[in-house]
Amino acid sequence: MVTVGVLALQGGFAEHLSLLRKAADRLATNHGQVHLTEVRTPEQLALCDALILPGGESTTLSLVAAQSGMLEPLREFVKISKKPVWGTCAGLILLCEQASATKRGGQDLIGGLDVKVHRNHFGRQLQSFVQDVDLPFLNQESSETRAPFPAVFIRAPVVDQVLHTEDAPSKKGPIEVLAKFPADGKGEDNIVALRQDNVFGTSFHPELTDDVRIHVWWLNQVVRAMST
């Protein structure tokens, strides 16, 4: 059995769990049982084989994690144990090594992705939008996944800098850019989905849609990683 947790300190953890249940049902016949659980304590985290950090408010998530003694266990889970982790929106911010446009005094990050993220890149709450985005990595799983994904951007971050270069390479694997999206339909595309080793991140909120494809894809990656 694979145990997948969703960090339930703040944000859209219930929505993630709902789509994870649907994804687990689709995979059950091929991969056996998946146990899903909310995570609020280090003890609950220790029982997990993989974890989702949901969207919400990244500064609040960071503060509550610090107050509840979760920051260091989360860092160990991601960077030492290297268990599969997925962060959406605020969760992505926490999984980056650096962040810009933070509130005064900055914020604690978990890290794991060797990138710098720009918070609230697309604007404030009123500038939220839904946009079809091509996700080529989904097409590798099935011929039925070729339709664009309805990405929900709410005060969304984007990755604006990769922190290692050929002159100063990372000790970790390369950054895999999985999807880009232009801010205004012109100019340079923004990175809105990426992966490095065990860490996967999306700027948008798949959990706020009825589209289960990314959850199925990620859960499949987790199950495969556990079986190797």
Side-chain angles (χ1 to χ4, degrees), residues 156-185:
V158 299
V159 172
D160 57 9
Q161 183 181 350
V162 176
L163 297 178
H164 64 270
T165 65
E166 292 182 359
D167 295 329
S170 170
K171 294 181 181 179
K172 293 180 282 189
I175 298 291
E176 300 177 68
V177 176
L178 300 179
K180 293 184 177 182
F181 177 71
D184 54 8

Side-chain angles (χ1 to χ4, degrees), residues 187-217:
E188 185 175 356
D189 289 346
N190 298 294
I191 298 172
V192 296
L194 72 160
R195 177 171 60 180
Q196 184 179 26
D197 296 337
N198 58 305
V199 185
F200 171 55
T202 55
S203 297
F204 50 91
H205 292 266
E207 75 278 11
L208 298 183
T209 76
D210 294 325
D211 196 323
V212 75
R213 286 178 292 166
I214 300 181
H215 285 78
V216 170
W217 174 85

